[in-house]
Amino acid sequence: MSMAWQPRTFRTGGIVDAEDVNDDLRALSRDIKRNADRRYTYCPVVVPLDGMTDADAANTRTIILPVPIDSNGFVVEVVGAEVSLYATAGVTWTVTLDDGTRPVVSIPVVTAGAAVEARGSTDNPLRFTDPKVLTVVFAGGAASTIVRGSLLLYLRIDRFANDGATFPVYDPTLLSAGSSTAGSLLDAELTAAAAEVANDVAAALDIRCECFLVRKQAVGSPVTWSMPSGAGRTALNVKCRQVEAGVATCTVAVTGGSVVLGPGDDTDEFVQSSRTDDPSNTAADTTVTFTPAAATVDLAYCFVWWS
Amino acid sequence: MALVPFTGTVDRTVLRDNFDDATAALTAAALLGKTSVDVTHRVDALAVGSGVANFLDFTAPDDMEVVALRVKAVDAAAGRTVTAFLEQTDGDTSFLLDVVFSTPVTTVIGTASATTLYSTTTIQRRVKLLRGVRYRLRLSTTAGPVTSAQVTLVCGLRRRTR
C-alpha cells in the first residue's frame, strides 16, 4: 500500500516550476499504471449438477459457458475449477474442460458415494474470448447418479475490453525549464493524460457471473430464484441454453427480459435493463424463473453477467 | 477528468485543477476496482437435518474479507427458522478465529430475508478467508421443510487499493 499522490499546488504569485509539473505528470503515469496492473475482477460461478446420471445424453452432461457479451472482446479466464460430488454406486466421474485453444483439462473425481464426497480440481488456466466458449463434459465410469454435486469455476475477467486494446498507458514527455512553448506542451500532455484517465475509468467494471440451472424439470413446476445482486448493479447480458430431445420449450425470465428456448437443443440470449436491487431485503428482487411449457425439460440453464 | 486546455498562458489555478481532477478520477477508479466476490448456495425443498444438499463447499480463490452473510427463504408457512452458516469444511474453526458466522431468518408466507454485515465498526469482526482453505456455506431449517432457501456470502477482494 502506498500513499495517494497529492498534486502540487500552483498558487498565484508563485513560480510554475517545470520539475513540479513533471512530478505531477509522473504521478499520473504511475497511478494509471497501478490501476492497469490491478484491472482484474474475480468471480466464482457455481454450476449445480444434482440429478445428472451417467446414462444421460451427452449434451445433457455438458455445460457450455459463453463469453459475457458478444463482440466486446472481454477476456475471461478460468483460473481454477473444482468439482464436488456425492453420487450413487461409488463411481469415478471424469470432468473435461475444453476452451478450444489449449489442451483439454481432465479432472478425475474419484469414487463418490451418496454420503462420501469425491472432489477434484485443477489450476490449469483456460482462456476464452468471443466467439469461443468453455465446454465442460461430465462422464461417469459406470452406472451412477449424482445426488448432490457442484462445479465451481473461478473466473478472472480483464476489465479492459478488446483484449487490452484500450489498455491505458501514459508515458509523459517531461517539460524543460528552457521551453518557449510550455503552454502548448502542457496542453498536449494533459490531453494525453486525460484520454488515458478516461480509459482507466471506463474499465472500472466489477464483472461477475451467476449460473441458474434446472434439470428434468416438469411442466407445471416453474422454479424461481433470487439474484444475489448488489444495489446499483447493472445487468449486462443473459445467455441461456436448453437441451431436450422432444418438443418442450422453456421460458427463461430474468426480471427485465425473457426468452423462450427450444424445442430441441437451443441457445438464445437477451440484454437486460439496468437493475437496482438490494438483496438484503425482499423489495424489488431480481428473480430468475424457468417455466417448462409442454413437456419435461431435460436441461436448461442461463448465465447472468453483471457489472 | 475535466480538462481545461491552455491558450498560450499557463494559468496556475487551471493547472492545479487539471491535476486535481485527474488524480481524483484515478483514485475513484481505483476504489471502484475493489471487487466483491459472491458465493451463493440455493436449495429447493430445504429439509430438516444435515443432508448433503444443504451445503456447498468451496475453496477461497484468494484472501477475501468477509463482508456480509445473507439468507433468503421462500415458504408457504410462517414461523420456521432458516439459518445460514459460514464454516470450515473440515469442521475446524482455526481459520475463522472461532467466530460463529450465522444469519437466521424466520419464514413468512412468502419471502423473508435477513443480512448480517461484518463490515461495520459495531460488530468489529474483520475476518479474512484464506486462499486455498475450503469453506462451507450451510443452510438449516427447524420445524419442517422450507420451499426454497438461499445463502449468499459476500466478500471483499482488495485488488485495486492504493
Side-chain angles (χ1 to χ4, degrees):
Chain A
M1 181 178 288
S2 60
M3 295 297 291
W5 171 255
Q6 298 296 321
R8 293 179 182 277
T9 298
F10 303 101
R11 293 186 173 84
T12 301
I15 296 172
V16 178
D17 185 87
E19 274 314 301
D20 288 349
V21 176
N22 288 340
D23 281 348
D24 281 357
L25 295 176
R26 288 192 194 99
L28 287 183
S29 172
R30 205 164 49 235
D31 281 356
I32 288 169
K33 285 174 181 170
R34 180 186 295 126
N35 281 2
D37 287 343
R38 298 171 182 175
R39 67 188 186 274
Y40 295 105
T41 184
Y42 296 79
C43 171
V45 181
V46 181
V47 181
L49 308 172
D50 303 11
M52 183 189 295
T53 77
D54 68 295
D56 286 345
N59 58 1
T60 61
R61 289 183 285 104
T62 301
I63 300 293
I64 297 176
L65 174 65
V67 292
I69 310 165
D70 285 339
S71 306
N72 79 342
F74 272 111
V75 175
V76 180
E77 295 165 295
V78 177
V79 293
E82 183 178 359
V83 182
S84 172
L85 293 183
Y86 296 85
T88 60
V91 166
T92 295
W93 283 73
T94 301
V95 185
T96 56
L97 298 92
D98 184 5
D99 67 355
T101 56
R102 298 191 183 185
V104 173
V105 175
S106 181
I107 310 173
V109 186
V110 179
T111 318
V116 178
E117 184 194 31
R119 177 174 167 263
S121 63
T122 177
D123 293 324
N124 285 20
L126 298 152
R127 178 178 189 274
F128 53 109
T129 57
D130 181 44
K132 293 185 178 63
V133 296
L134 178 71
T135 304
V136 186
V137 180
F138 297 81
S144 179
T145 298
I146 297 174
V147 294
R148 168 69 188 150
S150 59
L151 164 70
L152 273 81
L153 298 171
Y154 296 99
L155 306 185
R156 185 174 84 155
I157 302 158
D158 190 339
R159 293 183 178 89
F160 294 153
N162 303 317
D163 209 359
T166 54
F167 191 101
V169 174
Y170 175 54
D171 292 313
T173 300
L174 301 178
L175 306 181
S176 158
S179 171
S180 60
T181 56
S184 60
L185 286 174
L186 262 176
D187 263 355
E189 286 309 316
L190 288 171
T191 300
E196 300 307 333
V197 170
N199 279 339
D200 181 76
V201 172
L205 294 175
D206 183 4
I207 299 171
R208 67 179 70 185
C209 180
E210 190 78 17
C211 176
F212 296 88
L213 180 148
V214 294
R215 188 179 297 278
K216 300 180 178 70
Q217 192 66 34
V219 176
S221 303
V223 178
T224 298
W225 292 287
S226 297
M227 287 290 296
S229 51
R233 291 287 175 181
T234 302
L236 298 173
N237 189 273
V238 183
K239 289 187 177 290
C240 311
R241 181 163 182 255
Q242 165 182 286
V243 178
E244 58 90 43
V247 295
T249 60
C250 183
T251 300
V252 181
V254 181
T255 307
S258 67
V259 67
V260 179
L261 295 171
D265 201 334
D266 190 22
T267 60
D268 209 337
E269 67 181 274
F270 57 96
V271 178
Q272 253 204 353
S273 57
S274 177
R275 293 281 299 159
T276 298
D277 179 18
D278 183 351
S280 63
N281 60 43
T282 56
D285 270 351
T286 298
T287 59
V288 180
T289 302
F290 291 81
T291 309
T296 296
V297 169
D298 295 329
L299 173 67
Y301 57 87
C302 69
F303 290 97
V304 184
W305 292 89
W306 288 83
S307 170
Chain B
M1 181 179 174
L3 181 69
V4 180
F6 298 107
T7 52
T9 305
V10 177
D11 182 275
R12 293 165 180 78
T13 304
V14 174
L15 184 59
R16 179 197 63 201
D17 289 348
N18 277 333
F19 281 123
D20 280 350
D21 286 349
T23 303
L26 288 171
T27 303
L31 292 173
L32 283 174
K34 285 196 301 184
T35 66
S36 66
V37 176
D38 296 348
V39 184
T40 297
H41 177 47
R42 302 179 180 84
V43 181
D44 285 333
L46 178 67
V48 175
S50 55
V52 295
N54 290 8
F55 59 80
L56 170 75
D57 292 340
F58 67 96
T59 304
D62 206 340
D63 291 354
M64 308 185 298
E65 186 175 312
V66 177
V67 174
L69 193 64
R70 293 168 172 152
V71 62
K72 187 170 288 187
V74 179
D75 204 9
R80 291 169 181 162
T81 301
V82 175
T83 308
F85 295 91
L86 168 65
E87 304 166 330
Q88 278 181 236
T89 298
D90 58 8
D92 198 351
T93 57
S94 53
F95 288 117
L96 290 176
L97 301 178
D98 295 322
V99 176
V100 176
F101 289 90
S102 68
T103 303
V105 68
T106 302
T107 62
V108 296
I109 299 174
T111 303
S113 64
T115 300
T116 302
L117 294 174
Y118 295 95
S119 55
T120 58
T121 54
T122 51
I123 290 183
Q124 296 181 336
R125 286 169 179 163
R126 309 299 288 268
V127 176
K128 269 188 176 179
L129 306 187
L130 299 182
R131 179 192 177 109
V133 176
R134 287 192 92 201
Y135 296 93
R136 172 171 293 178
L137 286 176
R138 182 168 63 86
L139 288 160
S140 78
T141 178
T142 59
V146 171
T147 304
S148 70
Q150 72 180 46
V151 50
T152 299
L153 170 70
V154 182
C155 292
L157 192 62
R158 294 175 181 270
R159 274 287 164 194
R160 300 183 75 186
T161 51
R162 286 172 178 275

